[in-house]
Amino acid sequence: QVQLVESGGGSVESGGSLRLSCAASGYTDSRLLMGWFRQAPGKEREGIALIISTGNTTYADSVKGRFTISQDNAKNTLYLHMNSLKPEDTAMYYCAAKPGVVFPPRPLSPAWYNYWGQGTQVTVSS
């Protein structure tokens, strides 16, 4: 059973930066696809950044060029570096994982992911 714990959320002004972390534990197979998702009030949960064990990444168009996903395998930690934040980035951010070494079709769909953290809130003011 994979456990995921997010941290690093907070409140920032538009144009600011934050780094989210996701500590992973409870797995024996490092072949995980991991990602960041977010859900704003009244909206569906959306995938924004994914990474697989090979280091390949993919991003939603809404964050491409502003957000960077990375992982530190020695620390079993996933990161999301968020720059040039906008008010529309305000949401609860979740870390998620699924076993695998390749991106599935429509990889940003939350339906693929077996394991979820509890979320961390990001609020961007204008």
Side-chain angles (χ1 to χ4, degrees), residues 44-108:
E44 293 186 352
R45 189 169 297 188
E46 62 170 346
I48 56 173
L50 305 174
I51 189 167
I52 54 177
S53 56
T54 57
N56 288 352
T57 59
T58 191
Y59 295 91
D61 288 344
S62 58
V63 305
K64 200 173 293 183
R66 299 188 298 123
F67 291 10
T68 302
I69 189 171
S70 64
Q71 58 188 13
D72 184 332
N73 292 326
K75 296 182 179 180
N76 294 333
T77 302
L78 181 73
Y79 300 102
L80 184 68
H81 304 259
M82 304 187 294
N83 297 319
S84 302
L85 283 161
K86 305 174 182 180
E88 51 264 44
D89 294 318
T90 294
M92 185 71 79
Y93 283 69
Y94 298 91
C95 171
K98 72 176 291 297
V101 295
V102 295
F103 291 125
R106 298 182 65 232
L108 293 170

Side-chain angles (χ1 to χ4, degrees), residues 1-9 19-27 34-36 75-80 93-97 115-121:
Q1 184 77 5
V2 178
Q3 290 88 42
L4 303 171
V5 180
E6 303 95 335
S7 60
R19 187 185 77 167
L20 304 184
S21 300
C22 172
S25 62
Y27 60 95
M34 299 190 71
W36 289 97
K75 296 182 179 180
N76 294 333
T77 302
L78 181 73
Y79 300 102
L80 184 68
Y93 283 69
Y94 298 91
C95 171
Y115 307 105
W116 292 87
Q118 82 289 347
T120 186
Q121 177 68 36

